[in-house]
Structures are given as C-alpha cells and as structure tokens.
Amino acid sequence: MSALCVLRTRCFPRQVSGLPAAMQRHYSLDVSAPLLRTQGYIDGRWVSAASVFPVLDPATGKEITRVSDFGPAEAKQAVDAAYKAFHSWKQCTAKERSILLRKWFDLLTLHKEDLAKLVTFESGKPMREALGEITYAASFLEWFSEEARRVYGDIVPSPAKDRKILLLKQPVGVASIITPWNFPSAMITRKVGAALAAGCTVVVKPAEDTPLSALALAELAEQAGIPAGVFNVVPCSREKTPSVGEVLCTDPLVAKISFTGSTATGKVLLKMAADTVKKASMELGGHAPFIVFDSADVDKAVAGAMGSKFRNSGQTCVCSNRFLVQSGIHDRFMEKLGQAMDSELRVGHGSEPETTQGPLINARAAEKVAHQVSDAVSRGAKVLKGGKRLDGSFMEPTLLANVSTEMLCMKEETFGPLLPVIRFDTEEEALAIANASNVGLASYCYSQDVSQIWRVAEALEAGIVGINEGLLSTPEASFGGVKQSGLGCEGSKHGIKEYLEVKYVCFGGLKP
C-alpha cells in the first residue's frame, strides 16, 4: 500500500533561463502510507487538532497535504506527557536506551528512500542531497546509541579519610526541541539522539514548512519501541508558532531548550526561558568566511567552494558567505570557479535526477538574495554568473567579483546561492575581514603553508574551522559556534553533556 499525493506544478508562461524544461512537468510524492503522517504525536498517540495548515512544495508552490495545526493547549499536553514519561525513561538502563536508539537508526536506514522523498518535496532539497541528509540523520542515532553507555561519573579523592566524593551525571528532564526547515530530519536526530541517550524526554516543534519529516520520524520511533511520551511532535502553522514556542520555553516542567535557527529568534527564546532558568543550547546564525591563500591548490579550493556554497542552494548555517581570495591566485580561482558553476550546477525540481540546485524555501528567501545582488551591483560589484531571480522561489546561482566589505552580502547571512568574492593582499587583512562579524559558526581556509594554517586556524573567531575541506559535519565532531552564533555544542562526545547535570554526593561517616 502507498499513499499518493499528486502535485501539479505551475506551468511557467515562458522558458526562463536557468530552469530546465523538466520544470514544466507534474510531480508526485509517493511514499509508504505509515510514513506520510498528518496528525501530531503526543504520548504515543496520533492526535488531530481543530484546524490544519498546508505544507507546500517550494519548487511549485502547490500543496502537498495538510497537517494538524497545534496550539498552546496541545503543546502543554505534550509537555505533560513528556514529564510523566521522564520518570520511567530515566530509570531505563543505558543499555536499554542504547538498544532502542539503534533500532530507530536501523529503521531510518531501511526507509531512507521514502524519508528522502519527504525532505525533497517539503524543503526543495535535491534528492541526492536528501538521501545524504537521511544518512546523516541516522548517523546521530547510531552515534548516540553508543554514547548512551559512556556517560561516566567520577570518584574524586577526598581530603578527609571518613568520606567519599562521588560526582553523578543525571538527565536534566524534559527538553523542548525547536528545529529549522533546512535539515528537517538531521536537526531533529542530532538533538533528540543526545537527549534520549542521556535519559531525557522531548517535545519536538518542527518548522512549519517541513513537519512531514518530523512526523515520519515519530512513526519510526514508535516502530522502534520508543515508549509513549518519550518522543512527542507538535506541528503548527506560522501563525501559532509564537504561542506554541512560548509554552515550550516557559512551562516549568521543561528543563531544557535546544534551538537551531536565526540569532534574532534565539535571543527571544532565551529571554522567555530565563524566567525559569532553563538550560539552553542554541545553534544560531553564521556568516562563514572562505579564505583562499596564494599557496592553495586551486582545484581543491574550487571544489571546496562549490560544495560549501551551493549545497542545498546555499541554505545551510555553515555555508560559506564571504569569499576572500588572495591577489596572486585570484584570477585563476575565479576562472575555474566560473567553469565549475557552468558545468556542475543545474536548477530544477529536487526530484529530477540532474538537479543540483533546488528552490529556496519560499519567495521571500529568493527576494532576499536578489536584493543582496542588486545592492552589491549598485556599489560596484560585477556579476560574472547568474544574478537573476527566477520564477517562484528559484534564484540563479550567482558569482560576484569586485566585492567590498560595505556591501550587504558581506554584512548579513545570505542563505542562498550567492558567491561574492573579495580580493585581498595579506594574511592580516584576510583575518581582519573574516573576524569582522558578531557571529562565528563555521569558517574555511585553503593553504598549503603549514605554519600559516596553524596561525589562521587559531586566529579565526569561529566554532568550526575547515582546513582544505568544504564539507565538515559528522556526528563524531562537535558542532557549535562562538560570539552570537550560539551556546553549547551538538554532536561528538560533548553533545550528550548538554542534556546532563552533575550531582555531587558526599558519602560521610565512614570508618578510616
């Protein structure tokens, strides 16, 4: 049995440069029935709301399906269910939690094709990248299934002979998980895998643009045997997001919030969480510099730039935004980069096999990129490739030369397929430009000078530094930023610590 949602694309009235003829076709989402869920998930039950909201294919603007539109009452029910379940879930042994997470991982791997289709249709991500996201999402469940059994406490040498000092690590409690649309599966598992491994329970609020992936994860969690109330999902529309978010950030039963999204929204959530002094993890905005020095291998730098900039059409928090290329290598880099863009990038619907560049998430996102391009051109930048806003939420991959620091694209995160290049002369100049930002998530450096690599890696004000590598993320490594890019980190052995608290136990009255 399969559930078939038929999507009819808008027929463009004219052939637009950069959009293949395939965009004139009709597209359909065909996934196995249990994975296409439209109700919320609370306390092990699929729950309807009084109203629904549409989920759209960003490539066509057409409706995929409608999902239950939860409000504050349902959010409170989910928190209560998670709190109740916490008292039994934390009593499970680490091995028991590990086994269940591993079963969940196995199910994601088994259903990766269907899960990738959901990602493609609700977020626009090309199918090849969507499959990569599901593999990435599953890897966090695998990693934290293993880390669950490595939460070690400490026995500390006591200064007194009649007592023992023990430091225990215990789960903090209910965690509110608020996730973005650009990685609708992986951003959930990266947080939830750590939380469940630690012994916490969760309430997930997925982005209003991409609830289907979260609900499919809930279906597979249930199949894996995750107990009722441990994993809850509260989908809601853009209109109800503020009131639902307020419940998740202020309810006294919630002990922890974890959010991935913009810095501005993160600040609002932190203010709401402050009244009840909740533990918080924030993975916020970035504005990553990509520095290419004269000693760099040009071909590797171009390949790194292509992967770092154009993955998911530039819609990742670690995408390179500001490209700094040293004068001695600048012209060769620009020539080869332009050639790579011509030969490798294809704009279209994400379900088309040849597509590498899907739509932006909505028309507002495309308009933002177009505005940055027009601002740069008005200030003297030269468009070498692309530069045009296409129909709907599509934007041509764009290469800009003669860029300067006062341009808008150098001051704010783009979240789109715009690649602006600044020419620089000295290492000191490059570092000054790279660090002239109030955020610091990812950064990149291409060089074959080992001494320079060490200097630059240590000097860059970012939580993540890629040296001669444009794709960095892996569950084994920490993921987090500095400055206003966030608090705490995800992934690695450190990710689980965000869901634990240390309890000091003094065992006294012992006979020496």
Side-chain angles (χ1 to χ4, degrees):
M1 294 289 293
S2 67
L4 183 65
C5 286
V6 178
L7 311 180
R8 298 193 179 276
T9 65
R10 187 173 98 195
C11 289
F12 299 112
R14 55 189 169 83
Q15 184 63 37
V16 183
S17 174
L19 279 179
M23 283 305 298
Q24 312 286 337
R25 301 174 187 169
H26 303 314
Y27 297 96
S28 61
L29 170 62
D30 186 8
V31 300
S32 59
L35 293 181
L36 187 57
R37 290 288 188 173
T38 59
Q39 298 169 294
Y41 187 69
I42 298 176
D43 201 17
R45 296 177 295 109
W46 294 100
V47 180
S48 296
S51 59
V52 295
F53 67 98
V55 180
L56 307 179
D57 178 352
T60 65
K62 299 301 181 181
E63 184 177 300
I64 301 171
T65 188
R66 296 184 179 185
V67 171
S68 292
D69 191 5
F70 279 8
E74 291 88 356
K76 175 59 177 170
Q77 291 172 19
V79 170
D80 291 344
Y83 184 74
K84 178 182 177 182
F86 171 63
H87 295 289
S88 56
W89 180 246
K90 70 177 180 179
Q91 297 299 329
C92 292
T93 67
K95 183 175 181 179
E96 289 169 336
R97 294 196 295 268
S98 173
I99 290 171
L100 290 175
L101 284 170
R102 178 70 196 200
K103 288 181 179 178
W104 199 9
F105 158 78
D106 290 337
L107 286 168
L108 261 69
T109 303
L110 178 65
H111 295 282
K112 64 181 180 181
E113 293 280 346
D114 279 349
L115 294 172
K117 290 176 186 177
L118 290 173
V119 170
T120 291
F121 274 84
E122 66 178 347
S123 77
K125 186 174 294 186
M127 187 63 179
R128 190 176 357 173
E129 289 188 25
L131 283 166
E133 178 182 342
I134 299 306
T135 299
Y136 182 52
S139 72
F140 284 105
L141 298 181
E142 179 184 40
W143 173 259
F144 285 114
S145 75
E146 297 163 349
E147 287 298 292
R149 302 181 69 177
R150 300 181 188 134
V151 177
Y152 305 132
D154 298 291
I155 298 176
V156 181
S158 172
K161 293 181 179 180
D162 65 344
R163 66 190 64 180
K164 298 292 183 182
I165 296 175
L166 294 84
L167 303 181
L168 309 181
K169 292 182 180 177
Q170 298 182 316
V172 297
V174 176
S176 292
I177 308 295
I178 304 174
T179 56
W181 50 263
N182 59 336
F183 283 87
S185 287
M187 294 303 94
I188 292 175
T189 59
R190 191 164 72 184
K191 298 172 186 295
V192 171
L196 268 58
C200 296
T201 56
V202 300
V203 178
V204 177
K205 195 212 83 67
E208 60 272 14
D209 298 296
T210 56
L212 301 180
S213 292
L215 296 170
L217 289 177
E219 168 63 31
L220 295 180
E222 185 175 87
Q223 291 182 24
I226 304 293
V230 172
F231 182 75
N232 306 275
V233 180
V234 289
C236 66
S237 62
R238 189 181 306 275
E239 291 73 23
K240 291 186 179 179
T241 289
S243 59
V244 169
E246 184 176 1
V247 171
L248 298 183
C249 291
T250 61
D251 193 293
L253 299 184
V254 173
K256 156 88 179 182
I257 60 171
S258 180
F259 170 71
T260 295
S262 71
T263 298
T265 301
K267 291 177 180 179
V268 172
L269 301 185
L270 282 170
K271 288 178 181 177
M272 288 196 290
D275 281 345
T276 45
V277 196
K278 300 187 191 307
K279 192 177 178 72
S281 298
M282 296 276 146
E283 195 265 281
L284 307 177
H287 197 29
F290 188 104
I291 308 173
V292 184
F293 289 101
D294 282 344
S295 67
D297 181 313
V298 177
D299 291 331
K300 289 183 178 179
V302 168
M306 291 290 291
S308 174
K309 175 73 266 184
F310 294 114
R311 184 167 59 117
N312 198 21
S313 299
Q315 299 174 109
T316 85
C317 52
V318 293
C319 271
S320 299
N321 273 284
R322 300 170 291 154
F323 288 77
L324 291 70
V325 183
Q326 200 160 14
S327 296
I329 206 172
H330 177 274
D331 292 348
R332 278 195 296 146
F333 177 84
M334 296 295 280
E335 180 182 2
K336 291 195 172 188
L337 180 60
Q339 292 171 352
M341 291 177 65
D342 286 340
S343 64
E344 297 178 24
L345 302 182
R346 296 290 182 272
V347 177
H349 194 285
S351 65
E352 293 289 344
E354 69 274 14
T355 295
T356 66
Q357 300 292 284
L360 300 191
I361 190 63
N362 52 43
R364 295 189 308 277
E367 180 57 37
K368 178 183 178 181
V369 180
H371 177 62
Q372 287 194 358
V373 172
S374 62
D375 170 80
V377 171
S378 73
R379 298 173 186 270
K382 182 179 180 182
V383 178
L384 300 185
K385 299 289 178 185
K388 296 178 183 177
R389 166 87 183 276
L390 304 176
D391 280 30
S393 57
F394 284 91
M395 180 75 195
E396 281 187 326
T398 300
L399 175 61
L400 296 181
N402 300 336
V403 173
S404 57
T405 55
E406 72 272 10
M407 295 175 184
L408 197 57
C409 60
M410 298 299 290
K411 294 180 178 180
E412 64 177 34
E413 189 175 21
T414 301
F415 241 64
L418 170 60
L419 198 160
V421 180
I422 284 185
R423 183 196 297 258
F424 72 90
D425 294 317
T426 68
E427 180 181 313
E428 293 74 18
E429 179 188 0
L431 285 171
I433 296 172
N435 290 334
S437 174
N438 63 2
V439 293
L441 183 54
S443 58
Y444 305 86
C445 165
Y446 277 74
S447 171
Q448 296 186 85
D449 181 334
V450 175
S451 296
Q452 181 179 65
I453 286 171
W454 278 113
R455 288 194 306 270
V456 172
E458 292 183 343
L460 283 168
E461 296 171 359
I464 304 169
V465 180
I467 302 296
N468 298 325
E469 181 55 62
L471 299 176
L472 308 176
S473 299
T474 179
E476 293 83 1
S478 62
F479 191 103
V482 299
K483 298 182 179 178
Q484 294 186 35
S485 279
L487 302 170
C489 74
E490 297 180 338
S492 80
K493 68 178 183 180
H494 301 290
I496 200 168
K497 296 176 184 177
E498 300 290 330
Y499 298 89
L500 295 167
E501 54 193 4
V502 178
K503 177 183 287 184
Y504 162 39
V505 176
C506 179
F507 191 174
L510 301 176
K511 295 181 179 180

